[in-house]
């Protein structure tokens, strides 16, 4: 999808406040890709709302120059959904980590995809709880030793891509913060996708995850765009989503060729002006009709 | 920067008086009707038909349905109080019973006073015991009067309603017009129902004796609605553009009203996965600048509490209604209580500002959302409305003129125009009032991030710095300072009745109507009584309340809970310790007789009087504790405690 808007300088999205992530954190690449993608799409900072939950990665709105909300742990998607419904003219991007989105916020993640709200969800997946200094996450591999699984993780690992596809998400992608240009392309497509778009990003935690490191990912990831993968083939896409061994796919894994309309495009109240610009007044005749229903 | 700000001059005060205007005298004749049956027998629709028919003939009504959490079966007992003067509660007794099944006839016939009557289908039901003295048995030969009832048993309800209209002294025109509008799309059904009603009416005229009390039609036209429907309509007229909820009794009818009217009124209405999502969506929408509301009951509200604190620290206006039911936990989902006050006080961690409002009547449910939105937007705070099952699911007639109003809208200081100044915009500017002009996201040149972490005036987090006690304290103080003027913005409660009375009845929220009536009964019994009802619970009008209660000879607090949650609040805020307490936590609402008896007990030395609805018809006494058929007669046993 091409955009009519003219690309702007990525610096317009860069605030004075520098990120306070650990040096080498994967989240720098995630943030940088957002500068590039929003600039390439010609977005206005005042027309973008970035909503996050809580966690290292959820500090991102503070390091991105737009309107932003740093909400509650796990609740970025409900907040972003309410915000998008209230003002459909804004580009709404939700960001957070794997604990935030796939742990405490998992129900909202599934429901948001089922609901198909036009929000782009960027998950910085480092397979560990970083801000709380290294506990097991829903995406930690089975057997992984962490502070709270000293004998190894007994639980299975959540597969966000397969879950997203099963939940009706029409745009399912995975990036790697070590591949910034590729990541930027995924963001651009995700933001332009009319409906919920998931971009799960491998964003290594250099401090607390000594297993899933940059070299670990570099050895394994490959771009589905460089294969004969057809992202519009649901079954082929599900096969890719389930791949997790010596080779791990990144890229646009699934795009529904016939996507369901997004909830914000269906809701009868949102067909004209954005809600926030609609007047408050109800015509006296309508008011009297409402009273008459009680008589 | 450009500001648009409009402060309605005393708007809230004006509307509170509108409720007082409804406080009519209690001199007109009244009749209290009980309609009982199993769920599925059509109790609610028979009651609704009766109320609408009378309302169209100028008779006001108050209704309360005591029901079980079952879809079919069980027992449902709807009480309807009718008078040309608007009734403020369900009253103390029953004058006429429509029994739709044997269980109802057995349970409730014994509650009737001399002069009372009971209507039932004589072909299906017969009394299991002799009626109390002076009670008239009105057996209707329904199959003869309405042959269609053999196919459609629910037609018996129309026959009974027709008969009752006759016995009340009214003509059948109101009933006919209601049947016509109810079945407008099915002319054949209209005709058969009108015939059934007429047959019942004529049979009653020929065979039964009308009660001594007769109602007279008036020219007043009444609307009839539940507190929940009035909340919804009141919110819509106050500019609510976003409503989100998860179904939970007894708040669900608000969601259903919004869903039904969403398209016509252009309101975004969503049912979502849980109350956590509900409140976060509502705050998300409120943050963007729309008037946003949600409602639930105590269990759902518990899930919302973390986000209530978020609205506090990011200073986003949002309105959340908690329709209280008997708790804790699942509690008694179909029964009423006022026991979530502590939960509302304590919703979310930390110190922050919230307003808690408890409307006083169904009609007041209509006014309250606009007050809540105005104060939420002006002060950029969360507002909690505490209703209860009695008020939300009960219904009353309302003068339609009181609903035909244009609410004044106060959005507070909202920045909508581009920043014309060189000064950077500070979303959380430390102003003398504590209120920081709010730029809505999307407005050019006012970019900011709202963080649930502590933040500085510009929104930048200060939570991650080594330590910054000065800025942390400054920001807490800024938010607290907003509250210095809220009590002046909200109308103070006023004392009703003589200032030098012996007894001051003090209640909050939905007990208003019952206390007004109880005070009148006490005065008639020679106990001089006045009455103070609190609507704005947080912040409390400490100065005004202290002045009033400082002059009170004996303050008695009435509340529908076990522990006296309001009494503790009053003591904490004012240091005032009440002289007596009347409490009820059996699931049923107060009736005036409970208050009268309780006051007498307090005057005789009791400190806390626990009231129990002990009419035998209310009891189940099922061995398993589940609801089943009524287990037998209990005439005389415990049934006259409050007579």
């Amino acid at each position: 999808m091409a955009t009519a808007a003219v690309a702007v300088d990525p610096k317009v999205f860069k605030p004075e406040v520098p990120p306070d992530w650990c040096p080498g954190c994967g989240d720098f690449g995630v943030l940088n890709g957002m500068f590039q993608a929003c600039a390439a799409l010609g977005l206005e900072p005042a027309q973008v709302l970035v909503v996050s939950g809580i966690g290292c990665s959820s500090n991102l709105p503070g390091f991105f120059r737009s309107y932003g909300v740093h909400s509650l742990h796990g609740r970025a998607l409900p907040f972003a959904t309410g915000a998008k419904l209230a003002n459909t003219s804004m580009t709404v991007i939700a960001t957070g980590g794997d604990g935030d989105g796939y742990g405490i916020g998992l129900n909202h993640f599934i429901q948001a995809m089922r609901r198909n709200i036009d929000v782009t969800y960027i998950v910085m997946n480092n397979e560990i709880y970083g801000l709380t200094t290294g506990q097991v996450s829903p995406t930690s591999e089975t057997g992984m030793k962490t502070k709270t699984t000293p004998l190894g993780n007994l639980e299975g690992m959540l597969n966000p891509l397969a879950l997203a596809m099963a939940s009706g998400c029409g745009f399912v992608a995975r990036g790697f913060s070590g591949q910034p240009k590729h990541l930027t392309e995924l963001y651009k497509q995700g933001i332009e996708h009319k409906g919920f778009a998931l971009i799960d990003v491998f964003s290594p935690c250099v401090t607390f995850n000594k297993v899933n490191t940059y070299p670990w990912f570099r050895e394994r990831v490959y771009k589905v765009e460089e294969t004969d993968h057809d992202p519009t083939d649901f079954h082929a896409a599900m096969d890719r989503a389930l791949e997790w061994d010596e080779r791990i796919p990144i890229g646009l894994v699934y795009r529904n060729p016939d996507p369901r309309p997004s909830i914000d495009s269906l809701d009868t109240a949102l067909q004209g002006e954005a809600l926030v610009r609609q007047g408050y007044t109800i015509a006296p005749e309508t008011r009297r009709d409402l009273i008459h229903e009680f008589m | 920067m450009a500001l648009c700000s409009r402060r309605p001059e005393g708007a809230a005060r004006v509307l509170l008086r509108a409720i007082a205007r409804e406080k009519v005298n209690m001199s007109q004749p009244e009749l209290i009707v009980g309609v009982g049956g199993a769920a599925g027998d059509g109790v609610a629709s028979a009651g609704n038909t009766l109320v609408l028919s009378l309302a169209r003939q100028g008779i006001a009504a108050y209704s309360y349905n005591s029901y079980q959490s079952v879809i079919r079966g069980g027992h449902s007992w709807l009480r309807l109080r009718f008078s040309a003067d608007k009734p403020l509660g369900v009253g103390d007794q029953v004058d006429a019973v429509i029994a739709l099944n044997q269980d109802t006839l057995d349970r409730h016939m014994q509650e009737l006073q001399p002069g009372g009557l009971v209507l039932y289908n004589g072909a299906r039901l017969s009394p299991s015991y002799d009626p109390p003295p002076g009670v008239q048995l009105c057996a209707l030969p329904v199959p003869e009067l309405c042959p269609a009832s053999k196919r459609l048993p629910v037609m018996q309800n129309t026959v009974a309603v027709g008969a009752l209209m006759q016995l009340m002294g009214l003509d059948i025109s109101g009933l006919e017009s209601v049947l016509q509008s109810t079945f407008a799309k099915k002319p054949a059904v209209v005709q058969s129902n009108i015939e059934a009603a007429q047959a019942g009416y004529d049979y009653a005229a020929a065979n039964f004796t009308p009660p001594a009390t007769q109602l007279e039609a008036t020219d007043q036209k009444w609307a009839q609605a539940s507190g929940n429907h009035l909340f919804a309509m009141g919110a819509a007229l106050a500019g609510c553009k976003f409503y989100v909820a998860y179904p939970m009794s007894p708040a669900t009818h608000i969601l259903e009203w919004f869903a039904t009217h969403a398209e016509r009124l252009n309101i975004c209405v969503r049912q979502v996965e849980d109350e956590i999502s509900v409140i976060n969506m509502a705050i998300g929408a409120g943050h963007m600048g729309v008037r946003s509301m949600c409602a639930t009951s105590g269990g759902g509200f518990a899930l919302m509490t973390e986000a209530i604190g978020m609205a506090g620290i990011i200073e986003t206006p949002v309105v959340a209604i908690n329709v209280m039911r008997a708790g804790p936990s699942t509690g008694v989902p179909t029964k009423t209580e006022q026991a979530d006050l502590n939960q509302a006080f304590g919703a979310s961690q930390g110190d922050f500002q919230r307003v808690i409002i408890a409307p006083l009547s169904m009609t007041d449910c209509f006014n309250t959302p606009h007050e809540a939105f105005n104060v939420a937007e002006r002060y950029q705070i969360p507002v909690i409305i505490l209703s209860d099952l009695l008020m939300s699911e009960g219904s009353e007639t309302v003068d339609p003129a009181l609903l035909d109003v244009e609410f004044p809208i106060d959005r507070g200081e909202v920045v909508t125009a581009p920043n014309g100044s060189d000064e950077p915009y500070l979303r959380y500017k430390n102003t003398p009032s504590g209120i920081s002009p709010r730029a809505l996201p999307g407005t050019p040149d006012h970019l900011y991030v709202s963080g649930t972490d502590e933040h500085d005036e510009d929104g930048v987090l200060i939570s991650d710095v080594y330590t910054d006690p000065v800025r942390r304290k400054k920001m807490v103080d800024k938010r607290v300072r907003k509250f210095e003027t809220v009590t002046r913005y909200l109308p103070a409660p006023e004392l009703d009745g003589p200032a030098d009375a012996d007894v001051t009845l003090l209640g909050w929220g939905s007990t208003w109507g019952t206390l007004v009536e109880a005070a009148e009964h006490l005065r008639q019994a020679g106990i001089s009584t006045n009455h103070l009802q609190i609507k704005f619970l947080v912040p409390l009008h400490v100065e005004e309340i202290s002045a009033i209660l400082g002059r009170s000879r004996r303050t008695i607090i009435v509340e529908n809970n076990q522990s006296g949650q309001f009494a503790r609040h009053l003591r904490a805020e004012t240091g005032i310790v009440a002289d007596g307490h009347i409490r009820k936590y059996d699931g049923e609402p107060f009736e005036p007789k409970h208050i009268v008896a309780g006051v007498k007990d307090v005057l005789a030395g009791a400190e806390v009087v626990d009231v129990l609805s002990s009419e035998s018809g209310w009891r189940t006494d099922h061995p398993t504790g589940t609801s089943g058929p009524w287990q037998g007669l209990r005439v005389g046993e415990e049934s006259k405690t409050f007579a």
Side-chain angles (χ1 to χ4, degrees):
Chain A
M1 232 187 296
T3 173
V6 180
V8 296
D9 187 339
K11 284 198 189 105
V12 304
F13 294 102
K14 211 165 174 176
E16 287 162 19
V17 182
D20 55 7
W21 293 314
C22 303
C25 175
D27 296 349
F28 284 100
V30 172
L31 175 66
N32 204 33
M34 284 175 64
F35 295 148
Q36 303 297 332
C38 290
L41 293 173
L43 300 177
E44 287 267 340
Q47 286 303 308
V48 177
L49 179 77
V50 181
V51 183
S52 70
I54 294 292
C56 290
S57 57
S58 285
N59 285 337
L60 186 143
F63 315 133
F64 189 87
R65 193 173 160 272
S66 71
Y67 281 101
V69 180
H70 187 181
S71 77
L72 294 174
H73 193 35
R75 315 306 169 204
L77 287 176
F79 195 111
T81 302
K84 178 70 182 182
L85 292 170
N87 190 347
T88 40
S89 67
M90 299 281 284
T91 297
V92 179
I93 301 169
T95 65
D98 43 307
D100 191 73
Y102 305 149
I104 191 168
L106 183 68
N107 187 15
H108 307 311
F109 173 57
I110 296 169
Q111 307 278 358
M113 292 187 286
R114 182 179 69 77
R115 191 167 287 132
N116 199 22
I117 180 77
D118 186 16
V119 166
T120 304
Y121 189 29
I122 298 171
V123 182
M124 287 155 264
N125 184 353
N126 57 15
E127 288 115 11
I128 196 81
Y129 278 66
L131 190 60
T132 50
T133 70
Q135 298 79 24
V136 70
S137 144
T139 52
S140 297
E141 286 185 77
T142 304
M144 183 174 179
K145 288 187 179 175
T146 71
K147 282 186 182 166
T148 49
T149 54
L151 304 179
N153 181 18
L154 300 179
E155 302 184 4
M157 153 187 204
L158 186 133
N159 184 327
L161 270 54
L163 179 63
M165 289 180 63
S167 304
C169 184
F171 184 100
V172 181
R174 180 191 275 146
F176 172 38
S177 63
Q179 300 273 10
K181 281 190 183 150
H182 179 249
L183 189 57
T184 300
E185 281 310 307
L186 294 176
Y187 288 159
K188 281 162 62 183
Q189 292 176 59
I191 292 168
E192 296 232 297
H193 174 73
K194 191 79 188 103
F196 192 92
L198 170 68
I199 301 155
D200 179 81
V201 187
F202 292 139
S203 179
C205 175
V206 294
T207 307
F208 294 108
N209 190 335
K210 303 298 186 194
V211 179
N212 309 104
T213 58
Y214 278 102
W216 190 92
F217 283 114
R218 278 207 189 92
E219 276 169 27
R220 288 167 176 80
V221 298
Y222 73 95
K223 295 176 188 151
V224 292
E225 289 82 1
E226 292 170 359
T227 70
D228 61 356
H229 176 60
D230 174 7
T232 64
D233 179 339
F234 182 89
H235 296 285
M238 189 56 105
D239 287 342
R240 299 280 178 178
L242 295 173
E243 264 181 61
W244 188 272
D245 43 39
E246 291 80 36
R247 303 244 304 150
I248 299 173
I250 59 172
L252 177 57
V253 172
Y254 177 63
R255 163 177 267 162
N256 188 335
D258 183 20
R260 288 179 299 129
S262 63
I263 189 73
D264 41 289
S265 69
L266 291 172
D267 194 293
T268 55
L270 309 180
Q271 300 304 308
E273 277 273 36
L275 271 189
V276 70
R277 281 191 286 278
Q278 293 181 15
Y280 277 2
T281 326
I282 287 179
E285 315 83 77
T286 311
R287 187 168 69 223
R288 273 156 217 152
D289 285 351
L290 296 176
I291 297 168
H292 193 74
E293 290 175 18
F294 294 143
M295 297 182 76
Chain B
M1 86 185 49
L3 298 178
C4 77
S5 171
R6 195 152 61 97
R7 173 157 189 185
E9 208 41 62
R13 233 170 254 277
V14 169
L15 281 150
L16 200 73
R17 289 215 187 91
I19 303 152
R21 256 209 323 270
E22 286 221 308
K23 215 192 288 174
V24 289
N25 63 42
M26 286 167 258
S27 60
Q28 290 293 317
E30 62 170 38
L31 278 169
I32 302 174
V33 178
V35 185
D41 279 348
V43 171
S45 62
N48 200 45
T49 303
L50 195 57
V51 170
L52 285 177
S53 304
L54 269 73
R56 289 185 191 182
Q57 287 174 262
I59 308 289
Y62 184 103
S63 330
Y64 178 68
N65 192 10
S66 181
Y67 68 107
Q68 293 171 224
S69 190
V70 293
I71 305 302
R72 283 284 180 273
H75 181 54
S76 182
W77 177 234
L78 172 66
R79 282 187 300 168
L80 311 161
R81 188 180 189 190
F82 296 105
S83 173
D85 283 341
K86 176 169 170 164
L88 304 178
V90 83
D92 278 329
Q93 61 180 53
V94 183
D95 301 310
V97 171
I98 296 180
L100 300 178
N101 64 2
Q102 187 67 39
D103 184 39
T104 302
L105 189 57
D106 292 344
R107 282 173 191 268
H108 297 292
M109 185 175 73
Q110 60 183 321
E111 287 177 48
L112 288 163
Q113 308 294 315
L117 55 92
V118 54
L119 288 150
Y120 55 96
N121 180 353
R124 280 183 51 219
L125 314 179
S126 64
S128 309
Y129 53 93
D130 290 336
V135 169
Q136 183 183 188
L137 295 178
C138 301
L140 294 158
V142 172
E144 291 165 34
L145 298 174
C146 173
S149 69
K150 288 172 201 155
R151 276 182 298 108
L152 201 60
V154 77
M155 293 290 286
Q156 69 172 354
N157 303 4
T158 311
V159 177
V161 169
L164 187 61
M165 297 284 291
Q166 198 281 332
L167 292 169
M168 288 173 143
L170 296 164
D171 70 45
I172 203 167
S173 61
L175 177 54
E176 280 179 358
S177 85
V178 170
L179 293 171
Q180 265 155 2
S181 44
T182 306
F183 303 111
K185 286 175 188 155
K186 303 172 192 162
V189 180
V190 172
Q191 196 48 39
S192 63
N193 271 281
I194 288 178
E195 283 167 14
Q198 186 70 51
Y201 192 92
D202 294 343
Y203 188 84
N207 296 284
F208 306 142
T209 312
T213 303
Q214 296 281 285
L215 301 178
E216 263 182 54
T218 75
D219 292 333
Q220 172 71 48
K221 293 286 172 269
W222 295 101
Q224 188 228 187
S226 68
N228 273 344
H229 285 168
L230 289 168
F231 267 136
M233 181 174 156
L237 293 183
C240 179
K241 297 296 290 179
F242 188 80
Y243 184 82
V244 58
Y246 182 86
M248 184 170 189
S249 302
T252 311
H253 293 122
I254 305 176
L255 173 59
E256 290 176 354
W257 190 96
F258 270 109
T260 309
H261 293 85
E263 185 175 9
R264 171 144 196 215
L265 302 178
N266 243 36
I267 297 171
C268 182
V269 180
R270 306 297 332 148
Q271 177 187 324
V272 301
E273 60 269 23
D274 57 30
E275 288 87 351
I276 298 176
S277 192
V278 165
I279 187 75
N280 282 280
M281 276 190 203
I283 294 169
H287 184 77
M288 303 306 276
V290 305
R291 290 197 152 186
S292 166
M293 189 172 90
C294 56
T296 181
S297 189
F301 188 73
L303 296 184
M304 293 184 177
T305 53
E306 186 188 19
I308 298 277
M310 169 167 73
I313 197 167
I314 69 172
E315 304 192 48
T316 292
V318 70
V319 176
I321 300 176
N322 175 357
V323 182
M324 298 178 285
R325 65 192 211 189
S329 195
T330 309
V332 198
T334 60
K335 299 294 159 190
T336 199
E337 204 163 80
Q338 293 181 299
D340 294 359
L341 191 52
N342 287 346
Q343 189 191 19
F345 294 148
S348 210
Q349 69 275 24
D351 287 323
F352 66 98
Q353 288 59 49
R354 77 196 76 193
V355 164
I356 304 177
I357 313 176
L360 307 185
S361 70
M362 287 85 163
T363 305
D364 200 24
C365 291
F366 176 75
N367 294 313
T368 300
H370 115 266
E371 296 165 330
F373 279 128
N374 281 355
V375 73
E377 288 211 298
R378 183 172 189 84
Y379 290 93
Q380 303 174 22
I381 49 170
V383 174
I384 300 163
I385 297 175
L386 285 180
S387 179
D388 52 32
L389 184 139
L390 167 71
M391 192 156 59
S392 271
E393 291 202 334
S395 59
E396 69 179 16
T397 44
V398 190
D399 181 349
L402 289 180
L403 306 180
D404 197 10
V405 292
E406 211 154 287
F407 288 126
I409 286 176
D410 180 2
R411 299 219 55 193
E413 294 181 65
V414 176
V415 182
T416 50
N419 191 352
S421 122
D422 291 337
E423 293 284 306
Y425 168 69
L426 299 175
R427 168 63 188 95
Y428 299 107
K429 191 175 177 163
N430 188 22
T431 60
S433 68
I435 299 170
S436 317
R438 181 165 72 113
L440 305 181
T443 309
D445 312 326
H446 292 81
L447 304 179
Y448 62 89
V449 176
S450 287
T452 56
D453 287 60
E454 187 60 275
H455 42 259
D456 202 355
E457 294 177 63
D458 56 5
V460 173
L461 306 194
I462 58 175
S463 54
D464 289 349
V465 298
Y466 155 61
T467 181
D468 198 335
V470 174
R471 282 194 292 177
R472 158 66 179 174
K473 182 171 185 302
K474 174 185 74 176
M475 296 310 286
V476 174
D477 289 343
K478 177 199 106 64
R479 292 190 294 265
V480 169
R481 205 156 56 239
K482 294 195 287 188
F483 243 38
E484 288 173 2
T485 54
V486 175
T487 38
R488 291 204 293 279
Y489 187 70
L490 301 170
E494 290 169 19
L495 188 71
D496 185 13
D500 60 346
D502 286 334
V503 169
T504 299
L505 290 178
L506 175 58
W508 61 278
S510 68
T511 55
W512 173 73
T514 304
L515 292 188
V516 168
E517 195 173 349
E520 182 60 31
H521 290 188
L522 285 163
R523 287 190 283 266
Q524 283 165 12
I527 300 169
S528 108
T529 307
N530 58 30
H531 169 207
L532 182 66
Q533 194 76 7
I534 309 298
K535 172 172 178 176
F536 297 97
L537 296 160
V538 174
L540 204 62
H541 288 86
V542 169
E543 224 172 280
E544 294 87 343
I545 291 171
S546 299
I548 292 169
L549 296 182
R551 289 191 295 269
S552 163
R553 294 198 186 144
R554 200 180 275 98
T555 298
I556 300 175
I557 299 179
V558 180
E559 49 187 323
N560 221 168
N561 61 49
Q562 185 274 330
S563 63
Q565 298 186 5
F566 176 77
R568 187 174 299 173
H569 179 48
L570 181 77
R571 186 175 182 172
E573 294 291 319
T574 66
I576 294 172
V577 181
D579 301 288
H581 305 269
I582 304 175
R583 295 178 189 159
K584 196 167 193 287
Y585 49 95
D586 59 356
E588 296 299 339
F590 281 110
E591 295 174 17
K593 63 187 175 195
H594 300 139
I595 314 295
V596 172
V599 167
K600 287 178 179 168
D601 283 357
V602 170
L603 292 177
E607 193 186 326
V608 181
V609 180
D610 287 335
V611 175
L612 179 67
S613 281
S614 56
E615 289 82 350
S616 46
W618 292 87
R619 297 177 52 168
T620 308
D621 289 359
H622 194 267
T624 64
T626 59
S627 301
W630 180 64
Q631 293 296 299
L633 298 187
R634 300 198 175 269
V635 176
E637 183 188 328
E638 289 187 36
S639 65
K640 298 291 180 267
T641 312
F642 295 103

